[in-house]
């Protein structure tokens, strides 16, 4: 192939000129060299993405599993198994594969290090049935979904499968920027990639980004595609309007993965994040309005989703946040957390927040200040009102609480206690798994800093329907009024 190097270089230069004329990033040129064209052309309904470049192919690889996928009756195709880091308390290597499909696919998983007696695919509600032949696990998927495959109950050295829905590459045109498969670093020694208003930025499957975008004061921006951010800083949408982040995966972020701050009309769709670092929150919302988080898979060593008012560069209230169809796995801290941070001098309100159709695969937190799969800790004279948790399923607890609603003064983070929690609704919530879930708690801080109007409708904890306060499953503290049970 060396004899073609000159002609390939000339073609690349010509392609770059054409792309720039069309408003495309020169990063797109890399795709013509490194994208295995067969991935999309062999079967457009099964997209397998390229392996990392040679200098990363071994350092990013996990040898714990061999994973293949195919359309029924078609040829088996190998997937690249990524190594990821999980659990700050007990740091461990886990594995991850990703591909996209439409219709139906069959998956084969071979565990490479030792025998096994049983295998489980979670979330359990998906009811994925497995068969084992010759030490290989087989199962079928008929829709895109994110899964954890666990052998003999090993939740640290497990395999994460991100079986996604294809995201079409946008047609060339003004404002379209494409990053093809391969390694990308920010240009000219910058710490982040450029992003501007009225752009569509496409991260192709197999694109590995060493750095993130930091969109600030932009509008009408889309960052889409199934590329990956490697050990990056947090991607923060700051002071912006009408922004879509769809499809990317964050591997081993330095701290948090994704956030919006003082922004409006922001949607995070089909985002995935995995990390073990301190303060490695999955998604943060700071002083934003009209935020939609949908189909996320978050496994990090801090809050999966944390919704605050004034925090860092975000200033003001938070209103109208929807979190839906997602899977959370907090190896440390909360799955869903609302309210801790605000501005004591200019008190904030957090209002109209909904969590719906959520699976929590695991919960592990032994510090009472930070326990709770579903938690509201109103601090900094915040008012938190009109919060709904519906269709929530918790699989397993190492330590922690299902529910934690308190007006608090956290000496580490707050400058004053919260003001009020008013109107919290739990509907179709269940903890059906194993492990120790300590008593849930509801408590105000003082007579003028209460919790009011909390309703429970079809809430089951450890197999027991919640019909009222009970010391072993629901501890109701002082300054609480308006509890109701259905």
């Amino acid at each position: 192939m060396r004899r073609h190097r000159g002609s390939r270089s000339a073609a690349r230069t010509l392609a770059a000129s054409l792309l720039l004329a069309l408003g495309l990033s020169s990063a797109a040129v890399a795709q013509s060299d490194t994208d295995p064209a067969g991935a999309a052309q062999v079967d457009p309904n099964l997209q397998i993405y390229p392996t990392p470049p040679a200098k990363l192919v071994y350092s990013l690889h996990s040898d714990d599993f061999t994973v293949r996928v195919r359309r029924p009756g078609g040829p088996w195709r190998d997937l690249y198994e990524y190594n990821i880091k999980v659990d700050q308390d007990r740091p461990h290597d886990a594995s991850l594969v990703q591909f996209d499909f439409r219709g139906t696919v069959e998956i084969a998983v071979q565990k490479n290090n030792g025998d096994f007696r049983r295998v489980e695919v979670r979330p359990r509600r998906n009811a994925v049935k497995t068969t084992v032949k010759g030490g290989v696990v087989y199962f079928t998927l008929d829709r895109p979904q994110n899964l954890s495959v666990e052998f003999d109950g090993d939740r640290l050295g497990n395999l994460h499968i991100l079986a996604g829905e294809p995201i079409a590459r946008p047609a060339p045109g003004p404002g379209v920027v494409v990053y093809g498969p391969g390694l990308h670093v920010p240009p000219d020694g910058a710490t982040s990639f450029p992003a501007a208003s009225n752009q569509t930025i496409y991260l192709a499957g197999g694109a590995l980004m060493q750095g993130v975008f930091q969109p600030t004061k932009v509008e009408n921006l889309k960052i889409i595609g199934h590329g990956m951010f490697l050990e990056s800083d947090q991607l923060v949408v700051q002071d912006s309007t009408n922004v879509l982040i769809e499809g990317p995966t964050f591997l081993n972020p330095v701290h948090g993965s994704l956030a919006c701050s003082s922004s409006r009309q922001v949607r995070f769709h089909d985002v995935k994040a995995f990390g073990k670092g301190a303060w490695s929150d999955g998604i943060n919302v700071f002083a934003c309005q009209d935020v939609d988080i949908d189909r996320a898979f978050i496994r990090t060593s801090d809050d999966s989703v944390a919704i605050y008012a004034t925090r860092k560069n975000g200033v003001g209230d938070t209103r109208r946040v929807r979190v839906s169809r997602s899977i959370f796995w907090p190896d440390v801290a909360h799955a869903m957390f609302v309210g801790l941070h605000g501005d004591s001098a200019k008190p904030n309100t957090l209002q109209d927040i909904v969590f719906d159709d959520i699976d929590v695969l695991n919960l592990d937190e032994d510090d009472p200040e930070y326990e709770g799969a579903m938690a509201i800790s109103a601090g900094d004279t915040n008012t938190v009102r009109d919060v709904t948790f519906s269709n929530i399923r918790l699989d397993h607890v190492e330590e922690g609480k299902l529910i934690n609603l308190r007006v608090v003064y956290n000496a580490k983070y707050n400058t004053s206690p919260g003001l009020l929690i008013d109107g919290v609704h739990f509907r179709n919530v269940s903890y059906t798994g194993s492990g120790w879930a300590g008593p849930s708690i509801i408590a105000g801080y003082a007579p003028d800093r209460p919790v009011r109007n909390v309703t429970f409708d079809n809430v089951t904890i450890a197999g027991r329907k919640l019909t009222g306060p009970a010391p072993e499953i629901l501890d109701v503290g002082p300054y609480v009024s308006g509890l109701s049970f259905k």
Side-chain angles (χ1 to χ4, degrees):
M1 298 297 292
R2 281 179 180 268
R3 62 183 180 276
H4 298 297
R5 183 168 182 172
S7 61
R8 174 176 286 183
S9 177
R12 181 184 299 171
T13 302
L14 177 61
S17 300
L18 291 172
L19 286 164
L20 290 172
L22 291 170
L24 288 165
S25 165
S26 60
V29 180
Q31 189 162 3
S32 63
D33 286 346
T34 60
D35 186 8
Q41 294 174 6
V42 169
D43 185 345
N45 293 319
L46 177 58
Q47 298 182 7
I48 308 300
Y49 294 127
T51 60
K55 68 178 182 178
L56 294 175
V57 69
Y58 294 112
S59 62
L60 295 178
H61 189 243
S62 169
D63 292 319
D64 291 345
F65 302 98
T66 298
V67 188
R68 297 182 174 91
V69 64
R70 70 176 182 180
R71 300 274 288 170
W76 286 107
R77 303 177 65 186
D78 285 320
L79 299 176
Y80 180 83
E81 299 88 7
Y82 285 87
N83 177 271
I84 62 175
K85 311 295 183 182
V86 299
D87 199 343
Q88 183 185 9
D89 289 339
R90 294 165 295 171
H92 205 283
D93 291 338
S95 303
L96 179 149
V97 297
Q98 70 169 9
F99 64 94
D100 295 338
F101 77 102
R102 297 184 182 92
T104 300
V105 293
E106 298 171 344
I107 298 176
V109 178
Q110 176 179 291
K111 182 177 182 296
N112 292 331
N113 300 310
D115 298 329
F116 62 93
R117 295 184 178 181
R118 62 186 178 90
V119 63
E120 182 178 19
V121 180
R122 298 194 299 151
R124 293 190 181 102
R125 75 180 181 94
N126 290 355
V128 175
K129 296 181 179 180
T130 63
T131 60
V132 180
K133 298 178 182 178
V136 178
V137 178
Y138 297 91
F139 54 92
T140 299
L141 302 181
D142 60 5
R143 60 182 175 84
Q145 54 193 293
N146 299 314
L147 302 168
S148 171
V149 183
E150 300 157 13
F151 291 82
D152 295 329
D154 183 0
R155 292 185 170 92
L156 290 176
N158 64 315
L159 169 67
H160 304 81
I161 295 180
L162 309 181
E165 183 176 353
I167 298 176
R169 175 172 170 162
V176 174
V177 179
V178 175
Y179 291 86
L183 182 65
H184 301 275
V185 297
D188 304 321
T191 58
S192 60
F193 296 94
S197 295
N198 304 308
Q199 281 188 328
T200 296
I201 298 172
Y202 180 71
L203 312 179
L208 302 177
M209 317 299 289
Q210 287 193 330
V212 293
F213 299 89
Q214 298 290 6
T216 302
K217 297 182 179 179
V218 303
E219 59 183 9
N220 307 322
L221 171 67
K222 297 179 181 179
I223 301 174
I224 63 174
H226 286 147
M228 292 184 170
F229 294 98
L230 301 180
E231 299 182 353
S232 63
D233 293 327
Q234 190 174 43
L235 193 165
V236 181
V237 178
Q238 180 71 51
D239 297 316
S240 297
T241 303
N242 193 22
V243 175
L244 169 67
I245 310 292
E246 179 180 3
T249 300
F250 297 79
L251 296 187
N252 310 322
V254 175
H255 291 302
S257 297
L258 186 61
C260 64
S261 176
S262 285
S263 296
R264 294 175 178 271
Q265 299 171 23
V266 176
R267 187 182 185 199
F268 298 143
H269 175 67
D270 186 27
V271 296
K272 291 80 60 177
F274 303 87
K276 70 170 183 62
W279 301 291
S280 61
D281 290 20
I283 299 174
N284 293 139
V285 177
F286 304 147
C288 291
Q289 287 78 48
D290 301 301
V291 178
D292 186 6
I293 300 167
D294 179 60
R295 202 172 175 267
F297 188 115
I298 307 293
R299 183 178 187 179
T300 55
S301 288
D302 212 324
D303 306 319
S304 302
V305 172
I307 299 172
Y308 304 134
T310 295
R311 174 67 167 157
K312 297 183 178 179
N313 294 324
V315 178
D317 298 339
T318 289
R319 300 178 189 272
R320 298 178 300 280
V321 179
R322 299 292 183 270
V323 184
S324 62
R325 299 192 302 169
S326 294
I327 300 171
F328 299 144
W329 188 333
D331 284 314
V332 179
H334 313 90
M336 296 157 273
F337 189 38
V338 178
L340 184 63
H341 297 285
D343 184 350
S344 296
K346 298 179 180 179
N348 301 135
T349 296
L350 298 95
Q351 186 171 13
D352 191 5
I353 298 168
V354 175
F355 297 91
D356 180 63
D357 194 9
I358 308 293
D359 288 283
V360 181
L361 297 191
N362 194 61
L363 182 71
D364 183 20
E365 178 56 68
D366 56 10
D367 187 336
E369 190 67 45
Y370 306 104
E371 291 182 333
M374 295 165 283
I376 301 175
S377 294
D380 287 339
T381 317
N382 281 339
T383 293
V384 180
R385 56 164 43 102
D386 301 332
V387 180
T388 299
F389 299 90
S390 60
N391 304 304
I392 311 294
R393 298 160 295 270
L394 178 59
D395 267 11
H396 181 73
V397 172
E398 295 179 38
E399 279 192 278
K401 301 181 186 300
L402 184 65
I403 295 167
N404 190 336
L405 304 185
R406 293 179 301 132
V407 178
V408 303
Y409 172 69
N410 183 310
K412 183 175 181 179
Y413 292 112
N414 293 147
T415 57
S416 67
L419 182 63
L420 173 67
I421 297 174
D422 185 14
V424 182
H425 312 284
F426 297 92
R427 183 174 62 252
N428 300 330
V429 173
S430 63
Y431 168 49
T432 58
S434 58
W436 171 247
S440 294
I441 186 170
I442 305 175
Y445 185 83
D448 59 343
R449 296 173 185 266
V451 175
R452 301 193 306 229
N453 303 319
V454 179
T455 64
F456 297 90
D457 182 357
N458 191 29
V459 176
T460 303
I461 301 177
R464 179 172 173 181
K465 187 67 66 70
L466 189 60
T467 58
E472 65 275 19
I473 58 173
L474 178 62
D475 180 11
V476 178
Y479 318 119
V480 176
S481 63
L483 288 184
S484 64
F485 300 84
K486 298 181 181 179

